[in-house]
Amino acid sequence: MEISYHGHSVVKIQSNGKTILIDPFINGNGQTDLNVADEAPDIILLTHGHNDHVGDTVELAKKKDALVIAPNELANWISWQGVKAHPMHIGGAKEFDFGKVKFTQAFHGSSYVTENNEIIYMGMPAGILLFIEGLTIYHAGDTALFSDMKLIGERHPIDIAFLPIGDNFTMGPEDAACAVSFLMPKIVVPVHYNTFPPIEQDPQIFADLVQNAEVQILKAGEKVNCS
């Protein structure tokens, strides 16, 4: 299995011949190394409906009739775009042929802005727990720090966590470091920073604050070292 980071909040997981993309914001993402023309995922996981997370989901999913798994309202809207979607919600889990997905709470917003500046409500934002090939991967999506992260870490021992550190819209480095102490992952990768001016951060500040977890600061295209 290969787990790689691709700028902003984009994560790619390649497992058992299948490609999973989480929050595939590619076009308009100055931090990514990916090109929509080159990607053809089998599964897409979405944390919430903001444009910088839904990204290129519809175009990507139509290439191979990929399954999109997302919170209920967002999944319904995605299905109306001619894409195969499976709706879930916070606290719910389901076994798929590639692994198990469980949605957790996140404290943020969730809406999609159309080309006509129409704001479409997309339900609740979420984080994602992915259980795959014996690993537990947590993608927090966009979120503030919240104390129930302790419960997530206690109930589902996490191998790899992807946590936002950009501040302004999500946790900043200090709160994200506190989140690490709650979640207790073995490895943590900072995400959702330096894409836009309001979320410019030095990830080393976050790394210096973290205790009892291995921080891997990845450039776009680099893989998580799970060894």
Side-chain angles (χ1 to χ4, degrees):
M1 179 167 61
E2 292 184 352
I3 305 165
S4 52
Y5 173 61
H6 297 276
H8 202 56
S9 294
V10 186
V11 174
K12 180 190 288 188
I13 300 161
Q14 294 172 297
S15 170
N16 294 320
K18 292 189 175 182
T19 298
I20 302 166
L21 284 178
I22 301 177
D23 287 355
F25 170 48
I26 299 174
N27 285 322
N29 179 359
Q31 296 293 315
T32 194
D33 63 313
L34 299 182
N35 189 308
V36 171
D38 299 329
E39 301 301 314
D42 301 283
I43 300 102
I44 297 173
L45 305 179
L46 298 177
T47 59
H48 65 292
H50 285 162
N51 297 54
D52 61 326
H53 292 260
V54 173
D56 304 280
T57 292
V58 172
E59 182 178 351
L60 289 167
K62 287 182 177 180
K63 289 187 176 186
K64 290 175 61 177
D65 193 27
L67 176 65
V68 178
I69 303 169
N72 183 65
E73 290 83 357
L74 175 55
N76 288 338
W77 181 82
I78 287 287
S79 71
W80 299 339
Q81 314 311 308
V83 170
K84 182 170 61 179
H86 181 89
M88 295 183 66
H89 231 312
I90 293 168
K94 182 173 173 58
E95 292 275 2
F96 296 90
D97 59 1
F98 61 87
K100 182 180 177 181
V101 175
K102 183 174 183 178
F103 279 91
T104 70
Q105 68 192 78
F107 285 87
H108 195 59
S110 184
S111 59
Y112 188 84
V113 180
T114 70
E115 294 179 353
N116 298 321
N117 291 329
E118 178 188 10
I119 297 176
I120 302 174
Y121 171 68
M122 291 295 185
M124 296 289 289
I128 296 169
L129 284 165
L130 174 62
F131 308 90
I132 186 168
E133 287 196 42
L135 294 179
T136 299
I137 301 168
Y138 175 58
H139 191 298
D142 281 3
T143 188
L145 174 69
F146 57 95
S147 60
D148 277 352
M149 285 180 169
K150 285 186 178 181
L151 186 60
I152 295 172
E154 289 170 359
R155 284 189 42 76
H156 307 288
I158 296 166
D159 295 290
I160 305 162
F162 294 90
L163 300 182
I165 67 162
D167 220 347
N168 197 75
F169 299 111
T170 68
M171 297 186 291
E174 295 83 4
D175 280 358
C178 183
V180 174
S181 71
F182 288 170
L183 293 162
M184 301 177 292
K186 295 176 183 175
I187 296 169
V188 60
V189 178
V191 303
H192 202 274
Y193 66 96
N194 289 350
T195 322
F196 314 110
I199 60 171
E200 289 180 355
Q201 294 291 335
D202 179 356
Q204 190 60 49
I205 294 174
F206 165 72
D208 291 343
L209 292 170
V210 170
Q211 300 178 0
N212 302 319
E214 178 187 348
V215 180
Q216 295 187 17
I217 299 171
L218 302 181
K219 296 179 181 178
E222 291 186 335
K223 299 172 185 174
V224 177
N225 182 2
C226 302
S227 60

